[in-house]
Amino acid sequence: MPQDVIIALDFENREKTLSFLDLFRGSKPYVKIGMELFYAEGPDIVREIKARGHRIFLDLKLHDIPNTVQKAMRVLSRLDVDMTNLHAAGTIAMMQAAKEGLTRPDGTSPLLLAVTQLTSTDEQRMHDELLIPATMPETVAHYARNAQTAGLSGVVCSPLEARLVKDACGDGFLTVTPGIRFADSAADDQRRVMTPARAREGGSDFIVVGRPITASADPVAAWQRCLNEFLG
Ligand code: C5P
């Protein structure tokens, strides 16, 4: 079920980020804060954007030993974000520890998603460098099932893989998909892209959209177009 469009705030600092968000005036799009902005500005940028009334996907892709990830997630749980993530490659034990760390004393928790295989990793490199002999679809479906076993809410994946994940884990398991482009816009460095409408048909619950909105001459119109095409 298509739920929302998440704008990737891939800006280098607070000033550029806030002046972008100011364009939206009364509207409060769901936004994604990634490593670049988080490492530049620290947790204060998360608090500030949250205080402005936005829902936040904190995209830090944690991957470490279970104890370390659990403690890091406990810190992130206090930031009051709506969604965050880690690498499924860290094992089921790491994902379970993360979920435990992210659960607040009152039992609530941000949505926790797993990255299966990065979309920048192709099947050849996965075979040759990571020594994973399975096909990419088998690996993505297997990692998604591991995430579900660990109690996670869903995965970040290519929109081309959303149907595969739903088939493996059921419709209620969330798919959050970057790699979105309008039919008439540039692909940039993304290799395999889908339009918002096709992503909806493919089973994406949330789409993550960066440059088609952030680099547009009219970001608010581009965001509204995404919402219209995705929500149908
Ligand atoms: O500008 P663009 O729409 O390509 O931005 C996509 C966003 O989603 C970026 O923040 C990128 O880091 C992120 N992302 C991605 N592919 C993944 C995981 C995250 O493009 N597999």
Side-chain angles (χ1 to χ4, degrees), residues 137-156:
E138 284 165 350
T139 309
V140 168
H142 185 68
Y143 280 28
R145 282 192 295 267
N146 286 350
Q148 190 171 39
T149 300
L152 271 59
S153 302
V155 292
V156 184

Side-chain angles (χ1 to χ4, degrees), residues 8 10 32 59 61 115 117-120 156-158 178-181 187-190 208-212 214:
D10 293 326
K32 178 172 89 69
D59 178 20
K61 300 187 181 72
V115 175
Q117 282 291 331
L118 292 168
T119 49
S120 52
V156 184
C157 63
S158 158
I180 302 294
R181 289 296 179 271
D188 303 306
D189 56 346
Q190 296 281 15
V208 175
V209 187
R211 288 160 290 179
T214 56

Side-chain angles (χ1 to χ4, degrees), residues 1 17 27 73 75 78 90 97 158 165 171 191 195 208 210 215 224:
M1 276 280 288
T17 306
S27 303
M73 286 292 184
V75 175
R78 297 185 203 120
S158 158
V165 169
D171 264 354
R191 300 266 172 84
T195 63
V208 175
Q224 274 157 352

Side-chain angles (χ1 to χ4, degrees), residues 5 8 83 163 181:
V5 172
M83 190 186 280
R163 183 57 59 202
R181 289 296 179 271

